[in-house]
Amino acid sequence: LPAGLSQWFPALEVLDVSGTGLAELGAELLALPRLHTLLAKNNRLGGPGSLPKGLRQAPLGHSLRVLNLSGNRFAEVPPALLGLRGLRSLSLGGNRLHGIPPDIQELRSLEFLYLGGNFITSIPPELANLPSLSYLVLCDNKIQSIPPQLAQLHSLRSLSLHNNLLTYLPREILNLVHLEELSLRGNPLVVRFVRDLTYNPPSLQELAGRTIKTRNVPYTPSDLPENLVRYLSLASNCPNPKCGGVYFDSCVRQIKFVDFCGKYRLPLMHYLCSPECSSPCSSASQSSTSQSESDSEDEASVAARRMQKVLLG
């Protein structure tokens, strides 16, 4: 960076030096009292001296709110960053991080934390001590478990965990009442769940019951044995709006992922009357969800309860 930067641009607020091949950020940045956004993506930062000394005490350390160091060569979260108490957004995606330091909890103002595309294997419980954290991105790592303490992130709205090594989620995750997006695809948790979906052919009794219900065959309680009358009252309507069928004991379990801007909510369980319903129901439900968010919220609350034992057990 050019010397005298603070003298030439004393009122500089946003600086983007991404993709310039920088191996270090010079000390001339420290004296910029109004700089609140620093973008230094896709460089060669990460070695000794990459960040200027005295960052925490300098004017920049007090003014900086957004820092993006993604696509560099950091093997650890630089300790110098952990003293930036006013930092609201920190991006270190696509580096060489193998862990998250417990002192991450010192960034008390942090609202957005992007650590995707690294080699992180675990999440420290101290991460839960960030009271303002709303967006946490940990996708494309090697994370095997989620500490239950993350349920203390009461401000969390989006949690991206896709393409990790998760085999289960802690039950406490259900306490994240403000969570709107949870991305889980590409984990053994979801892959195993989808693989284990099976369909048992309906019995003759169920086939007969379906015929009676779908064709509206008239009958009175005196026409049938009491157990068959009771059985017919247990029919469930197929959720596929294009089907109109029913089922009793035999149904197709299907995962539906609700897609919003590339992120996924909880995988939702559908119970369909037959394998033939899978494709049309999937496409129809996807389009209806995108049209009405309130409908998906009602469906999500029901489906999440159905899936607790499978996903969180």
Side-chain angles (χ1 to χ4, degrees):
L1 294 177
L5 185 63
S6 60
Q7 298 176 356
W8 296 343
F9 305 104
L12 190 65
E13 297 183 355
V14 178
L15 178 61
D16 188 350
V17 292
S18 301
T20 55
L22 287 175
E24 63 179 52
L25 297 176
E28 57 272 12
L29 291 175
L30 298 178
L32 293 170
R34 298 187 183 181
L35 188 67
H36 58 73
T37 300
L38 176 57
L39 309 177
K41 305 179 294 181
N42 303 324
N43 283 298
R44 295 186 290 117
L45 302 170
S50 291
L51 301 181
K53 295 181 179 180
L55 179 58
R56 180 176 181 177
Q57 297 79 18
L60 179 63
H62 298 284
S63 64
L64 201 57
R65 297 292 179 266
V66 177
L67 178 60
N68 192 327
L69 297 173
S70 292
N72 281 284
R73 304 175 181 180
F74 290 101
E76 63 177 8
V77 177
L81 302 183
L82 301 176
L84 303 179
R85 300 296 181 88
L87 200 62
R88 296 176 185 172
S89 175
L90 175 60
S91 299
L92 281 163
N95 277 274
R96 302 171 182 177
L97 305 180
H98 284 78
I100 305 172
D103 287 343
I104 195 78
Q105 65 183 337
E106 300 299 324
L107 301 178
R108 304 287 292 176
S109 300
L110 207 60
E111 300 174 5
F112 178 92
L113 179 58
Y114 191 106
L115 298 175
N118 283 286
F119 303 96
I120 298 169
T121 58
S122 62
I123 303 172
E126 289 81 1
L127 190 63
N129 296 329
L130 298 175
S132 301
L133 194 63
S134 299
Y135 298 89
L136 177 57
V137 181
L138 296 168
C139 60
D140 299 292
N141 278 286
K142 300 181 181 296
I143 299 170
Q144 301 182 36
S145 63
I146 303 298
Q149 289 85 350
L150 284 195
Q152 301 170 20
L153 292 172
H154 300 301
S155 298
L156 199 63
R157 296 175 56 192
S158 177
L159 177 58
S160 295
L161 294 167
H162 52 271
N163 299 331
N164 275 284
L165 301 175
L166 297 172
T167 57
Y168 72 96
L169 292 178
R171 193 172 300 274
E172 289 82 359
I173 204 84
L174 296 174
N175 295 328
L176 295 173
V177 295
H178 296 294
L179 194 66
E180 299 174 356
E181 298 173 330
L182 175 59
S183 175
L184 294 171
R185 67 187 186 278
N187 281 280
L189 162 70
V190 175
V191 173
R192 182 191 63 202
F193 187 46
V194 173
R195 185 190 63 226
D196 291 344
L197 297 184
T198 57
Y199 175 68
N200 295 319
S203 63
L204 291 177
Q205 177 178 257
E206 175 151 352
L207 289 174
R210 291 186 182 193
T211 301
I212 292 173
K213 284 294 184 179
T214 56
R215 298 186 179 182
N216 294 318
V217 177
Y219 69 90
T220 64
S222 61
D223 296 331
L224 301 172
E226 182 179 349
N227 64 318
L228 292 181
V229 174
R230 186 168 54 251
Y231 179 79
L232 290 172
S233 68
L234 299 177
S236 298
N237 293 323
C238 181
N240 181 359
K242 298 181 179 180
C243 174
V246 298
Y247 63 88
F248 295 86
D249 300 315
S250 179
C251 59
V252 176
R253 294 180 299 168
Q254 183 202 50
I255 293 290
K256 185 188 77 169
F257 293 97
V258 185
D259 191 355
F260 283 84
C261 302
K263 297 183 179 179
Y264 290 76
R265 293 176 185 266
L266 275 172
L268 304 181
M269 175 75 91
H270 273 196
Y271 295 91
L272 307 172
C273 68
S274 69
E276 289 74 17
C277 276
S278 300
S279 296
C281 183
S282 177
S283 59
S285 60
Q286 289 283 3
S287 60
S288 63
T289 302
S290 62
Q291 294 171 3
S292 174
E293 184 174 353
S294 60
D295 290 344
S296 69
E297 290 294 342
D298 294 338
E299 182 183 23
S301 62
V302 175
R305 287 196 297 271
R306 289 175 177 171
M307 294 182 63
Q308 284 180 21
K309 291 185 179 180
V310 180
L311 286 179
L312 308 179

